[in-house]
């Protein structure tokens, strides 16, 4: 009997474990094939075009000023043109390839490691690592306000606690 299933990558280990556990032989034969036609992917990032093109260096300075980022890390040519931007707050370093595939000139996220910076350089996409904390902070402030609005009839007020001393 041959069985084929499509499994999201984050569930692959569980599916293989279940198959091995249910199989009548001690060591069943199986193959895993990566599918490139992933279908429509939904996420929490944003993608857009700037009203006025700028340079990567000027873009980084503007973003870091607006987000109050004290210690950004970058990869790319500071003089290169930036027209399109992809953003994923928090630790989105694993999606550099997606930002590149969307045609972004720059990708803004946090938690970018050495190998992700090398990938970005190989792909030719500029990256601004504005840190996990500083890229999530605006969303958390908005979430606190939205929760207060939704829960005000119950007398609940939600406040954002901004402790930037956490290391």
């Amino acid at each position: 009997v041959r069985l084929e299933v499509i499994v999201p990558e984050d569930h692959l280990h569980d599916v293989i474990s279940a198959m091995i556990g249910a199989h009548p032989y001690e060591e069943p034969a199986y193959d895993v094939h990566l599918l490139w036609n992933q279908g429509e992917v939904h996420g929490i990032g944003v993608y857009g075009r700037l009203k006025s093109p700028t340079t990567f260096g000027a873009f980084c300075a503007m973003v870091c000023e607006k987000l109050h980022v004290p210690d950004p890390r970058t990869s790319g040519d500071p003089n290169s043109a930036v027209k399109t931007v992809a953003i994923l707050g928090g630790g989105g370093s694993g999606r550099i390839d997606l930002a590149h595939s969307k045609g972004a000139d720059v990708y803004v996220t946090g938690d970018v490691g050495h190998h992700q910076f090398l990938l970005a350089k190989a792909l030719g996409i500029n990256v601004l690592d504005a840190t996990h904390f500083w890229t999530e902070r605006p969303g958390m402030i908005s979430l606190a306000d939205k929760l207060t609005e939704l829960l005000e009839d119950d007398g609940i007020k939600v406040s954002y606690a901004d402790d930037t001393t956490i290391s």
Side-chain angles (χ1 to χ4, degrees), residues 54-61 74-82 106 126-128:
T54 187
T55 65
F56 178 52
F59 176 81
C60 290
T74 64
S75 173
D77 177 1
N79 297 314
S80 63
V82 172
V106 63
N126 297 308
V127 174
L128 168 57

Side-chain angles (χ1 to χ4, degrees), residues 17-85:
S17 295
M19 184 263 315
I20 290 172
H23 201 276
Y25 304 138
E26 286 182 29
E27 189 173 339
Y30 65 92
D31 292 309
V32 175
H33 300 276
L34 178 64
L35 296 179
W36 289 103
N37 58 334
Q38 297 178 3
E40 191 172 350
V41 177
H42 299 278
I44 57 172
V46 294
Y47 172 83
R49 183 174 290 281
L50 299 177
K51 287 181 183 177
S52 301
T54 187
T55 65
F56 178 52
F59 176 81
C60 290
M62 184 264 307
V63 169
C64 291
E65 178 186 339
K66 299 288 185 187
L67 295 180
H68 309 288
V69 181
D71 53 352
R73 297 183 312 141
T74 64
S75 173
D77 177 1
N79 297 314
S80 63
V82 172
K83 298 175 189 166
T84 55
V85 178

Side-chain angles (χ1 to χ4, degrees), residues 108-125:
V108 181
T109 192
D111 295 345
V112 180
H114 174 75
H115 292 98
Q116 288 92 15
F117 276 127
L118 290 177
L119 173 63
K121 184 175 181 177
L123 293 173
I125 185 172

Side-chain angles (χ1 to χ4, degrees), residues 137-164:
R137 183 175 182 264
M140 294 298 99
I141 292 169
S142 294
L143 179 60
D145 293 342
K146 183 66 176 176
L147 286 173
T148 294
E149 178 186 317
L150 292 170
L151 301 171
E152 66 186 345
D153 290 343
D154 298 319
I156 299 172
K157 178 166 176 31
V158 179
S159 298
Y160 172 75
D162 192 6
D163 184 355
T164 58

